[in-house]
Amino acid sequence: MLFIQVANILNKLVELDNDLKYYHYGLPQDVNRNIPNNSDPSSDTGRLFPYVLQIPRELTARTQQNGAQSLFETHTIELLFIDTYAYNAQQFDFKRDTQLKIFSKLQVLAERIIKGLQEYAEEQAIPPFNISDYTIDPDAARFTANTRMIRVNLSLVFPSACSSFDYDLSSLEIDPNDTVTTDLEDINDNTPIVQP
């Protein structure tokens, strides 16, 4: 599963939720720029709140051997759910919200996205995939002024198909220990490393 495919699944889920106004895959530094995307194609509007920011994270793979080899890819996902604090960005006016109310509203939105992702993983995706335990962390101090956010961390585990690219492996040694000990990258020195 490619990073772009995982991001597009999350993007679609955000788009399907009427209470979330914007999705972006990127970094927190991107937040102060208007970036054209499916929520704002001409980049005229800018951020609409509340929105979801997906932070680039890691991909790990694990091989499981149970009679037949299986490969599983785990995408570690970090989502930031962000809303304004004490002002309404769309109307540029004051709103009466406590941090606790904003964190709780963002928690509800995050849990809805996770539930939608879980339903997709179990009922529609072929092959189905797994969602690990998730954490939701209220974080009032890490973002831009007059906004509040919660951070959601979870992992998506996908069964991985074999690559359709076929290598011609005939140039590799049958026994890995017979592989040359010269640096193939260094064309000016073919001195082998002598093993004890």
Side-chain angles (χ1 to χ4, degrees):
M1 180 71 67
L2 299 175
F3 290 115
I4 196 168
Q5 293 171 305
V6 174
N8 286 341
I9 291 168
L10 292 164
N11 190 334
K12 284 290 189 185
L13 287 171
V14 169
E15 195 175 280
L16 292 170
D17 191 312
N18 292 330
D19 292 326
L20 288 167
K21 307 299 182 195
Y22 195 89
Y23 166 88
H24 179 62
Y25 178 93
L27 301 171
Q29 301 88 289
D30 298 341
V31 88
N32 293 322
R33 299 183 325 197
N34 291 351
I35 298 166
N37 64 21
N38 58 317
S39 298
D40 183 16
S42 61
S43 72
D44 293 334
T45 309
R47 295 289 179 269
L48 298 176
F49 292 88
Y51 74 92
V52 178
L53 177 64
Q54 182 182 350
I55 306 292
R57 293 290 302 272
E58 69 182 359
L59 163 68
T60 57
R62 174 177 52 91
T63 303
Q64 181 177 353
Q65 296 180 4
N66 50 358
Q69 244 184 7
S70 302
L71 182 66
F72 294 92
E73 293 179 351
T74 301
H75 285 260
T76 302
I77 307 294
E78 182 175 351
L79 300 173
L80 306 181
F81 287 75
I82 303 149
D83 201 359
T84 56
Y85 174 61
Y87 79 100
N88 186 326
Q90 284 77 26
Q91 286 82 33
F92 298 105
D93 64 354
F94 174 78
K95 75 174 179 178
R96 186 176 184 90
D97 267 339
T98 64
Q99 287 188 65
L100 187 56
K101 285 182 183 176
I102 292 171
F103 286 147
S104 296
K105 287 177 186 177
L106 292 173
Q107 177 186 359
V108 168
L109 293 172
E111 288 174 346
R112 282 194 337 217
I113 290 294
I114 293 167
K115 183 177 184 295
L117 187 60
Q118 188 172 19
E119 287 175 10
Y120 172 69
E122 293 172 356
E123 298 172 15
Q124 188 173 346
I126 297 175
F129 59 92
N130 294 323
I131 301 171
S132 72
D133 296 339
Y134 61 88
T135 60
I136 296 179
D137 175 27
D139 190 347
R142 194 176 89 158
F143 223 66
T144 59
N146 298 322
T147 62
R148 296 297 181 263
M149 66 164 231
I150 61 170
R151 179 181 25 244
V152 177
N153 286 299
L154 58 106
S155 294
L156 307 178
V157 181
F158 296 93
S160 178
C162 294
S163 171
S164 61
F165 182 82
D166 290 325
Y167 284 95
D168 177 9
L169 303 176
S170 62
S171 65
L172 296 171
E173 301 296 335
I174 294 172
D175 182 347
N177 289 316
D178 291 338
T179 302
V180 297
T181 60
T182 58
D183 185 353
L184 296 176
E185 196 173 351
D186 186 355
I187 60 171
N188 295 320
D189 183 8
N190 60 1
T191 307
I193 304 295
V194 179
Q195 296 181 19

